[in-house]
Amino acid sequence: MHIVSWQGIRRDESPNRRYAKKIERIGPKLWAFRPLVDWTAQQTVDFVRGQGCPLNPLYSQGQSRVGCVCINSNKSDLAQVSFRYPEEITRLSEWEHLVGQASKRGYSTFMCDASDLKDRRAIFSDLNIHARVAWAKGENGTMDLFDNGDLNLPACASSYGLCDQ
């Protein structure tokens, strides 16, 4: 038996995906098929809309991708998540703590990609989820996403032209 994993990734999502193949063997009897790999984000949105299907509401909330929240988020997405769903940041922080307790090093973070440091404690201090959220929001840890005076009102922050719908 062969297994084919259908993946909705695009080459324009990140530098790490720029050379993604449309079909790729990723393990014994395991293949990845990426039918959207050549599409842009806008082409994807246009296709879904053209089919009369609803888009994931997270796109209207400013997320540029919705498959992985936080761990694979860009700076803007992470700031949006922390603003709209602070409980997710708390949850990730709790997981960092739990994984750290199980780790022989005693420290763990999901955000360790951006450090050249050798000391794991320093990496955790610089890159734990709360430090990354502060970085995403700006130097003072705040961001003015909306100026509507009422944070309970839904606001559209889409870069895909979804606010006009």
Side-chain angles (χ1 to χ4, degrees):
M1 171 161 68
H2 291 271
I3 298 171
V4 178
S5 170
W6 285 55
Q7 301 174 353
I9 68 169
R10 300 178 329 276
R11 289 188 187 117
D12 74 344
E13 284 183 67
S14 72
N16 289 339
R17 293 184 174 179
R18 121 184 75 201
Y19 301 113
K21 297 175 184 173
K22 192 164 207 160
I23 300 172
E24 179 178 18
R25 183 176 179 261
I26 55 178
K29 299 184 180 183
L30 179 60
W31 294 81
F33 177 56
R34 303 175 182 114
L36 310 178
V37 77
D38 296 319
W39 292 19
T40 65
Q42 190 64 56
Q43 287 172 313
T44 307
V45 167
D46 292 345
F47 175 80
V48 172
R49 289 168 123 179
Q51 300 303 307
C53 296
L55 289 169
N56 187 312
L58 292 175
Y59 288 120
S60 294
Q61 295 176 10
Q63 296 298 121
S64 64
R65 26 187 305 196
V66 298
C68 303
V69 174
C70 285
I71 296 173
N72 291 320
S73 293
N74 63 31
K75 186 175 184 178
S76 174
D77 289 350
L78 184 57
Q80 284 282 343
V81 168
S82 71
F83 178 78
R84 293 178 181 274
Y85 307 104
E87 67 279 2
E88 290 300 311
I89 303 304
T90 301
R91 185 180 62 81
L92 281 172
S93 177
E94 290 167 356
W95 273 104
E96 283 181 334
H97 178 72
L98 289 171
V99 172
Q101 286 182 319
S103 169
K104 62 183 171 185
R105 294 186 177 114
Y107 300 91
S108 181
T109 179
F110 298 110
M111 308 285 191
C112 60
D113 63 323
S115 179
D116 296 328
L117 298 172
K118 302 293 182 214
D119 182 350
R120 301 302 274 171
R121 291 171 295 189
I123 292 171
F124 181 77
S125 176
D126 287 351
L127 299 177
N128 68 72
I129 187 63
H130 292 295
R132 294 301 272 187
V133 166
W135 162 80
K137 288 181 174 180
E139 287 187 31
N140 63 4
T142 63
M143 61 187 287
D144 184 15
L145 291 175
F146 311 103
D147 191 27
N148 63 11
D150 184 355
L151 299 180
N152 294 321
L153 290 175
C156 186
S158 171
S159 60
Y160 302 117
L162 304 177
C163 301
D164 300 332
Q165 302 298 311

